[in-house]
Amino acid sequence: MTLTHDSAAQFTRVLTESLPYLQKFAGKIIVIKYGGNAMENEQLQRGFARDVVLMKQVGINPVVVHGGGPQIGELLTKLNIPTRFVQGMRVTDSQTMDVVEMVLGGLVNKQIVNFINHQGGKAVGLTGKDGQTIRARKLNVSSQSPETNTSEIIDIGHVGEVEKIKTDLIDTLIASDYIPVIAPIGVDEEGVSYNINADLVAGKIAEVLNAEKLMLLTNVAGLLDKQGQLLTQLSTEDVDYLIADGTIHGGMLPKVRCALSAVKHGVKSAHIVDGRQTHAVLLEIFSNEGVGTLIN
């Protein structure tokens, strides 16, 4: 079938527009936090896998960090294991942690690897326990008691934060032309496993790898102003101001602070991207318009 004049012109425009980005990002590392609807819709899963394979094919080095909260919740329900949340975080006892490792390190991780490999890529799945890639420490959560006006420490179990990222294994995989797919499970110096927020893990990995970009796929269009309009590009100062005046609030705050930290620690730019958009990753990297909010 022959291209029409209009479709040929559009095709040419897309290719020529992408050329400067291909040149700019060749050989660079882009860390992608993969989660939300993009992980639960098969069409979006296949589109994401193709995006990652294409990036690798043109000389960009993607590193994927994934979540899996809904999948964990689904299996806990099937196993009749009750779930409780504190400040938006799942209380994770030893039994729940076993399920977390099964889902993140097994089911979800290998599914992503399989999708990428099926599209012609070379993906390798790992958790932060492999090669002690993610050294974790227990996350301390406190709550203010209105009666006594004092802080109270709440034990939420095997929920951790990043203490240190060891890059040896990731570096080896990238150098061997593999695509690392990382589940956000860390281990402390005693060998105890911890579930860590995937956004935070992606941000810290981007920092230590001196990544060109950190991309956080989410279920919203990006950061919005108080009128609900998309904010397409922000400086770190802009973001600090929007946090201070309450424009950025609630569940978006941890994600934004993660992006902000990454940029302030050497990552060239962070992107909060609408993962519900097919090929959102490619659109954000290779087009002038993009599909989310860029922070630099």
Side-chain angles (χ1 to χ4, degrees):
M1 180 178 176
T2 303
L3 290 172
T4 65
H5 181 272
D6 288 344
S7 60
Q10 182 179 5
F11 184 61
T12 302
R13 182 187 65 80
V14 170
L15 288 177
T16 54
E17 183 179 305
S18 66
L19 177 59
Y21 301 103
L22 290 169
Q23 294 169 325
K24 180 179 180 180
F25 301 137
K28 302 295 176 63
I29 294 172
I30 295 180
V31 177
I32 308 165
K33 186 274 177 161
Y34 179 48
N37 282 9
M39 279 181 62
E40 299 173 48
N41 176 297
E42 187 168 331
Q43 180 182 349
L44 293 175
Q45 287 175 318
R46 295 187 188 282
F48 174 79
R50 284 193 292 271
D51 290 358
V52 170
V53 172
L54 190 149
M55 289 168 67
K56 191 69 174 180
Q57 190 68 41
V58 298
I60 299 170
N61 295 310
V63 175
V64 179
V65 178
H66 66 84
Q71 293 89 338
I72 292 168
E74 184 178 338
L75 184 54
L76 287 170
T77 299
K78 287 180 180 178
L79 297 174
N80 294 316
I81 298 174
T83 297
R84 184 167 65 93
F85 288 87
V86 171
Q87 297 179 17
M89 292 173 286
R90 189 188 307 275
V91 177
T92 306
D93 58 16
S94 296
Q95 187 180 30
T96 302
M97 189 65 214
D98 288 342
V99 173
V100 168
E101 293 205 61
M102 287 168 56
V103 173
L104 292 184
L107 177 67
V108 173
N109 187 273
K110 302 315 172 191
Q111 184 180 55
I112 298 167
V113 167
N114 186 51
F115 270 113
I116 293 172
N117 290 344
H118 185 69
Q119 296 299 327
K122 290 168 55 181
V124 173
L126 60 146
T127 76
K129 296 174 72 172
D130 294 306
Q132 294 190 324
T133 297
I134 304 173
R135 173 63 63 85
R137 59 175 170 251
K138 186 179 179 68
L139 179 64
N140 291 316
V141 177
S142 61
S143 176
Q144 194 74 16
S145 170
E147 292 83 8
T148 62
N149 198 30
T150 58
S151 290
E152 174 187 8
I153 301 298
I154 305 172
D155 187 354
I156 56 173
H158 293 260
V159 178
E161 58 184 346
V162 175
E163 182 173 84
K164 182 180 178 182
I165 301 290
K166 186 179 175 185
T167 65
D168 306 39
L169 183 54
I170 301 172
D171 290 337
T172 299
L173 291 172
I174 292 172
S176 301
D177 281 333
Y178 287 97
I179 299 167
V181 179
I182 305 169
I185 298 168
V187 62
D188 70 10
E189 58 185 11
E190 303 298 327
V192 178
S193 299
Y194 289 94
N195 183 21
I196 309 175
N197 178 278
D199 290 330
L200 299 180
V201 170
K204 292 300 180 185
I205 288 176
E207 289 176 23
V208 299
L209 292 177
N210 196 26
E212 181 74 16
K213 291 178 180 290
L214 167 66
M215 303 186 70
L216 304 174
L217 268 62
T218 185
N219 287 341
V220 296
L223 296 181
L224 308 178
D225 64 18
K226 288 184 176 179
Q227 287 71 49
Q229 299 300 307
L230 179 65
L231 298 165
T232 56
Q233 185 166 357
L234 299 168
S235 67
T236 56
E237 292 79 10
D238 293 333
V239 176
D240 284 332
Y241 177 80
L242 291 170
I243 291 173
D245 81 351
T247 300
I248 301 173
H249 63 279
M252 188 58 74
L253 266 175
K255 193 178 297 290
V256 171
R257 285 184 173 137
C258 160
L260 199 56
S261 173
V263 173
K264 289 181 176 180
H265 287 88
V267 178
K268 300 295 189 303
S269 62
H271 305 247
I272 296 175
V273 179
D274 190 350
R276 301 168 300 180
Q277 167 74 53
T278 304
H279 300 299
V281 173
L282 291 187
L283 290 168
E284 188 66 17
I285 295 174
F286 296 130
S287 71
N288 293 331
E289 292 81 10
V291 289
T293 301
L294 171 121
I295 301 170
N296 60 8

